[in-house]
Each structure stands twice: as C-alpha cells, then as structure tokens.
Amino acid sequence: MSEKIWLSSPHMGGTEKDFVTAAFDTNWIAPLGANVDGFEEDLEQYLKEGYVAALSSGTAALHLALVLADVKAGDEVICQSMTFSASANPITYLGATPVFVDSEKDTWNLDPVLLKEAILDRIAKGKKPKAIIPVHLYGMPAKMNEIQAIAATYDIPVIEDAAEALGSWYGDKACGTLGDFGILSFNGNKIITTSGGGALVGKDKAAIVKSRFLASQARDPAPHYEHTHIGYNYRMSNICAGIGRGQMEVLEKRVEQRRANYQHYVKELSGLPGVQFVSEPQGTFSNRWLSTILIDPLQSNGITRETIRLALEKYQIESRPLWKPMHLQPVFAGAPAYVNGVSEMLFNNGLCLPSGSNLTQAQLQQTTDIIKALWNK
Ligand SMILES: *Cc1c(COP(=O)(O)O)cnc(C)c1O
C-alpha cells in the first residue's frame, strides 16, 4: 500500500533547525527573542508594506485586530460566509455578533454588491457594523478595490483574513497589507508553517506596537505587575519563530510549487465534462494554496464531488469539500446573513484536491488518473 497523500502537509526547507538550534544555544526558549524579531522583519520585507506582530495563531491575530478596531459586546461585524470558522469565531469572543455576507462567483470571496446591501440594511436596523472581514479563500484575492471603496464610504475598518494567502498579490500589493489590518496563519496546513502561529499586519505602526503589548499580558511599565488593559497571552514562541525564519527562505519556491500543482490539475482535468476551475481575475496573483475544482452534476454524467472524494479515499488520498459556509453552520444559526446562493452552490459542488508543495509528480498523476477513470467508465 502506498503512503497517504495529504491535502496540505508541512514542507520544511532545511534551515529551520539552524534557527531553532540558535534559540536553544542562547537559551531564548520564550515568547520573545531574536527569532521573533527576525521573523517579523522577514515578513515586513516580504510584504513590502506595513508592520507585523508575530503571534501564537491566526485566530489570535483576528481577535486582537477586532480589539484594536474597538469591537465590543453587542456590536456587529460583517464576515465573509464562505470561509473557515476561525474567521468568525473571534467576533463572538468579544460578545459581538457576526453578520454573514455571501460570495461572488469570480473569486468565491465577499460579494461587494451584497456587502453594500448588508451595510445599508444593518444601518437601517439601527447598528452600523464595526468592521468588515473579507477572506482570500484558498489564496485567491478578494475584490479589494470594490470592498475598500464601500468600507471607506461608510467609514468601517477592513480586517483582511489572509490566513490562506501569504504569497498572493492584488496588483503590486501583498494580500494582508490592503486592509486597515491583515492577518496571516502559519498553522501546519498553510503555505508555510511555524507548526502553529500567526501574525497581525497593519498600516499603523502604533497599533502594531499596541498589539504586541496586548499579546504579552498588557503589562504596563512598572517594577511590579501593573495593568490598565485586559491582556492576552498571544505572542509567538521564539522556537516557532525559528521555524518561520527558515520557512521564509523557501516561501517563493512554495508558491511556485503550489501553482504548478494547479497547472497539473488544469492540464489533466479541464477536458472532463462538468469540471470547472476558478481563474485569477486580471491583475491578481493567487498562491494557489489549495487547488480546487467545481463539478456541474448536470454535465458530469452524474459524477459529484462526493463520487470523486470517495474514489480518492480508497487510495488513501485526502480531498475535502469546499468549506461549508458559516450561515449554514449550526453554531451560527441565529446570526443575520445576506445570501445569494453562491457559497451554498460552491459547498455542494466543490472539492479541494491534494495541494501540498511536497507532492511528487507521481502522486499528482495518480490523483488525476483516478479522477479521469471515473469519466472513462
Ligand atoms: C487557518 C485559517 C485561520 C486561522 O488560523 P490559525 O493560525 O489556524 O488560528 C483563519 N482564517 C482562515 C481563512 C484560515 O484558513
């Protein structure tokens, strides 16, 4: 039996252990140290704009972004419905309510038309949303010009969830640097990993400095422990940051490898009736964190995304339906939602294919051969 093929597994570059060893050699086994500072600098240089705070997770980064946007109990925050639950969960940590907005078909991300409708309706109902969270799902940049213009009109801060989109670009701007705040994730399944970790990105240096303060238990300057703010224990460990510094050396290569996976799938599968891909709108560049396909069951001779998933599973090949929209999740059943059917259609018909940068050509070929055989029966 051959080895299991994962959806997206960690892929070390080689120098990570050197940075981790340096942390041990200097005894900086703590949530601060040279690797944390170095990783933040590496990220700032890569992103070209904005300031970065290295944190314990992408979820923690979102939580702090919402705190900095002054989200409080009883407030409402607009969130893309088509996403992973971590985009929405931190809204509830603050006692605020998520208001879900559906996607457009070009990028599968926050629909600007529906966003405007949602804002106007929430204002009419008596509450202006305190923040907007668009997501660059699977690495595909959202329609940020349109989203930012609406956000500016109503003076609402944008918190960009770029957890899946490090290495993706919108024009000449890195995803994560477009909004007032952006967040990144270095979880084990992301394009680069620190085993677990995240970062807050922001245009305003003072806000990022404050996020580091809040993330280290909000200790005021004093010889004793003195507190005027509620703090969090959200700083990144110096060990994890060492892994991150090594990973930054291969980020560009990882983007190329993920994009090559996507090209393989297009080459092998785009001729199959009913199989569709999502292409990059003009002027955008996706890191293709996950390669995805949409199946139109009316054209695919009855083959569904579930037929494909089960066929791959027989050979220990992991695939996964597209993320189930938040407005369809039992835990968010009571939340307001502005929907147009797009995210539900994506969930019903879409599949994420094996997308790791460490997949071999043989593994990719085996995957597409199994899928093609379903059509050739
Ligand atoms: C992974 C992910 C997160 C959360 O990041 P963690 O580092 O795992 O906390 C948030 N949003 C999206 C869209 C993600 O994919």
Side-chain angles (χ1 to χ4, degrees), residues 57-59 62 83-84 86-87 135 161 163-164 183 185-187 190 197:
S57 71
T59 311
L62 264 167
T83 187
F84 180 63
S87 303
V135 184
D161 183 343
E164 302 177 359
I183 73 103
S185 168
F186 312 109
N187 195 28
K190 297 291 164 37

Side-chain angles (χ1 to χ4, degrees), residues 54-219:
L55 302 171
S56 54
S57 71
T59 311
L62 264 167
H63 190 181
L64 288 185
L66 291 165
V67 169
L68 291 165
D70 199 32
V71 172
K72 297 214 161 72
D75 285 341
E76 293 186 348
V77 173
I78 290 185
C79 182
Q80 180 168 320
S81 185
M82 185 69 191
T83 187
F84 180 63
S85 62
S87 303
N89 285 336
I91 299 167
T92 69
Y93 301 170
L94 290 163
T97 303
V99 173
F100 295 114
V101 174
D102 217 318
S103 291
E104 36 79 15
K105 281 185 177 158
D106 299 339
T107 73
W108 303 357
N109 293 312
L110 194 62
D111 180 351
V113 177
L114 212 48
L115 170 65
K116 186 172 173 178
E117 279 179 36
I119 292 171
L120 288 172
D121 192 51
R122 296 328 290 174
I123 291 173
K125 289 189 162 72
K127 252 181 211 172
K128 190 172 97 169
K130 290 291 283 284
I132 301 168
I133 305 178
V135 184
H136 307 298
L137 205 66
Y138 309 124
M140 182 66 75
K143 294 192 169 171
M144 290 304 292
N145 280 349
E146 290 88 338
I147 292 167
Q148 301 264 77
I150 294 163
T153 302
Y154 297 97
D155 195 23
I156 304 172
V158 172
I159 301 170
E160 232 185 313
D161 183 343
E164 302 177 359
L166 178 59
S168 296
W169 297 81
Y170 190 79
D172 60 356
K173 291 191 188 295
C175 285
T177 67
L178 293 137
D180 299 87
F181 292 105
I183 73 103
L184 301 170
S185 168
F186 312 109
N187 195 28
N189 61 344
K190 297 291 164 37
I191 191 154
I192 62 166
T193 182
T194 60
S195 75
L200 179 65
V201 184
K203 294 182 195 311
D204 177 5
K205 188 173 183 180
I208 295 302
V209 169
K210 186 169 178 189
S211 79
R212 295 195 189 109
F213 162 78
L214 293 173
S216 334
Q217 306 286 22
R219 286 170 297 181

Side-chain angles (χ1 to χ4, degrees), residues 320-339:
R320 192 188 297 275
L322 297 192
W323 298 180
K324 182 175 178 178
M326 291 306 112
H327 74 271
L328 298 176
Q329 296 286 358
V331 72
F332 292 122
Y338 296 81
V339 297

